């Protein structure tokens, strides 16, 4: 039997390496630790919640109800009748625009105050005011009447002034009673942005109205720094020449304040021009 010769098994290896995707190399400067720190520092960081200012967090907003809308509508109608026109703006914005018209309509501050008094008187039935002055105001030396109007003011006027509370007032006779109303931040003053509007359409007319038509003395002390106001029923106001409120300068938020400051740089006049 004849055997076939065996051939040696040969295995060939390729001399070329296997193909692979090239790996991009970073620039030497980008491989440095300094770049790593810089790259980590520009990563978006979680944002902290915005910090509210103290005036935003401490201030309480009054939420008007159905009766408040009725009071606003009634007061605005009487104001429009006195001015002779109405505003196209709705709600409180329209009310402030009418107040500005009232300020411009009067030939003097006295005319504006008289018009504001007429508006306050027109809000009440005439018989109610007369009976209150005759029957209620003399009781207990005027304390009962003072406490009553303080509570009514706090209940019915927050739509106009903002949140307010009844507080105690020291009377001239040395006693005290709950006949004060403290307004935290007067919306009327803040929206009108004018010392003159406050004095001639609110403070002085309101003091005169309660004293002459309801028999209740009233001192109003607006604070033009924080816009608060203190009502003191049962206390007579000082004479105009002694009332420092009437000598207050323009508010910083007054639209004409900056222009007036430029004009008054060489003058000693500081009083609000509308006061």
């Amino acid at each position: 039997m004849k055997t076939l010769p065996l051939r040696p098994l040969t295995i060939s290896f390729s001399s070329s390496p296997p193909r692979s995707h090239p790996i991009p190399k970073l620039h030497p400067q980008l491989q440095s630790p300094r770049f790593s720190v810089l790259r980590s520092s520009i990563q978006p960081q979680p944002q902290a919640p915005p910090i509210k200012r103290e005036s935003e967090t401490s201030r309480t907003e009054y939420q008007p109800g159905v009766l408040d809308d009725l009071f606003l509508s009634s007061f605005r109608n009487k104001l429009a009748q006195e001015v002779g026109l109405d505003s196209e703006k709705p709600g409180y914005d329209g009310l402030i625009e009418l107040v500005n018209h009232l300020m411009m309509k009067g030939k003097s501050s006295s005319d504006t105050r008289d018009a504001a008094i007429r508006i306050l008187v027109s809000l009440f039935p005439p018989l109610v005011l007369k009976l209150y002055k005759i029957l209620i105001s003399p009781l207990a030396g005027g304390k009962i009447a003072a406490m009553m109007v303080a509570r009514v003011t706090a209940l019915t006027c927050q739509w106009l002034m903002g949140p307010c509370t009844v507080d105690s007032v020291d009377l001239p006779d040395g006693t005290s009673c709950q006949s004060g109303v403290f307004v935290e931040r007067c919306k009327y003053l803040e929206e009108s942005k004018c010392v003159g509007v406050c004095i001639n359409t609110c403070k002085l007319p309101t003091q005169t109205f309660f004293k002459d038509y309801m028999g209740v003395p009233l001192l109003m002390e607006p604070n033009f720094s924080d816009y608060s106001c203190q009502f003191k029923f049962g206390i007579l106001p000082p004479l105009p020449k002694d009332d420092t409120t009437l000598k207050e300068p323009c508010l910083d938020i007054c639209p004409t304040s900056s222009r007036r400051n430029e004009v008054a740089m060489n003058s000693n006049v500081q009083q609000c021009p509308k006061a």
Side-chain angles (χ1 to χ4, degrees):
M1 183 174 179
K2 190 175 182 179
T3 59
L4 297 175
L6 296 177
R7 294 182 179 181
L9 180 64
T10 59
I11 300 175
S12 63
F13 294 91
S14 176
S15 60
S16 61
R19 294 184 179 181
S20 60
H21 296 286
I23 300 175
K25 295 184 179 181
L26 295 175
H27 191 275
Q29 292 183 354
L30 300 182
Q31 294 177 342
S32 64
R34 181 180 178 183
F35 176 75
S36 300
V37 174
L38 177 62
R39 185 174 56 183
S40 62
S41 64
I42 63 175
Q43 295 295 329
Q45 301 293 330
Q47 295 183 354
I51 300 176
K52 294 185 177 181
R53 293 177 296 179
E54 182 178 356
S55 59
E56 296 178 349
T57 56
S58 60
R59 182 180 176 183
T60 54
E61 292 290 343
Y62 177 74
Q63 301 298 328
V66 177
L67 288 179
D68 296 303
D69 294 336
L70 180 62
F71 294 147
L72 171 59
S73 177
S74 177
F75 186 81
R76 175 171 171 161
N77 289 337
K78 298 296 184 181
L79 182 57
Q81 292 175 14
E82 180 66 36
V83 174
L85 55 87
D86 200 352
S87 171
E88 295 182 356
K89 296 180 180 179
Y92 205 94
D93 291 337
L95 174 68
I96 295 299
E97 186 173 63
L98 288 175
V99 169
N100 291 326
H101 282 295
L102 184 67
M103 290 286 293
M104 293 184 292
K105 180 182 178 182
K107 296 180 179 179
S108 64
S109 297
S110 179
D111 289 342
T112 302
R113 292 193 292 268
D114 291 342
I117 293 172
R118 289 194 296 269
I119 294 172
L120 292 174
V121 173
S122 67
L123 294 171
F124 297 85
L127 188 59
V128 171
L129 297 177
K130 291 181 179 179
L131 291 177
Y132 195 91
K133 185 176 182 179
I134 295 173
L135 301 177
I136 307 299
S137 61
L139 299 177
K143 291 183 179 180
I144 294 179
M147 289 188 292
M148 288 178 63
V149 293
R151 281 156 177 76
V152 172
T153 299
L155 288 173
T156 62
C157 294
Q158 295 194 56
W159 65 270
L160 178 65
M161 304 180 297
C164 55
T165 54
V166 175
D167 59 3
S168 180
V169 170
D170 295 328
L171 301 177
D173 61 2
T175 62
S176 62
C177 68
Q178 295 289 313
S179 62
V181 176
F182 179 71
V183 183
E184 297 177 9
R185 188 178 179 90
C186 182
K187 181 178 181 181
Y188 187 74
L189 173 59
E190 189 173 16
E191 294 294 330
S192 64
K193 303 178 177 65
C194 182
V195 171
V197 169
C198 170
I199 291 174
N200 293 310
T201 68
C202 185
K203 172 182 161 62
L204 295 181
T206 304
Q207 291 178 168
T208 301
F209 167 76
F210 277 103
K211 178 65 173 64
D212 294 351
Y213 291 89
M214 300 190 73
V216 180
L218 169 63
L219 170 61
M220 293 175 63
E221 297 176 331
N223 186 324
F224 297 113
S225 297
D226 61 7
Y227 305 146
S228 64
C229 186
Q230 177 67 58
F231 286 62
K232 295 182 177 180
F233 291 100
I235 298 181
L236 287 169
L239 297 175
K241 65 182 182 65
D242 299 324
D243 194 340
T244 57
T245 305
L246 306 184
K247 303 177 179 62
E248 286 287 334
C250 291
L251 296 176
D252 292 336
I253 60 175
C254 178
T256 60
S257 177
S258 58
R259 295 194 297 269
R260 176 171 169 79
N261 288 338
E262 294 175 358
V263 175
M265 285 181 64
N266 299 323
S267 173
N268 292 327
V269 178
Q270 297 295 329
Q271 182 182 353
C272 174
K274 294 183 179 180

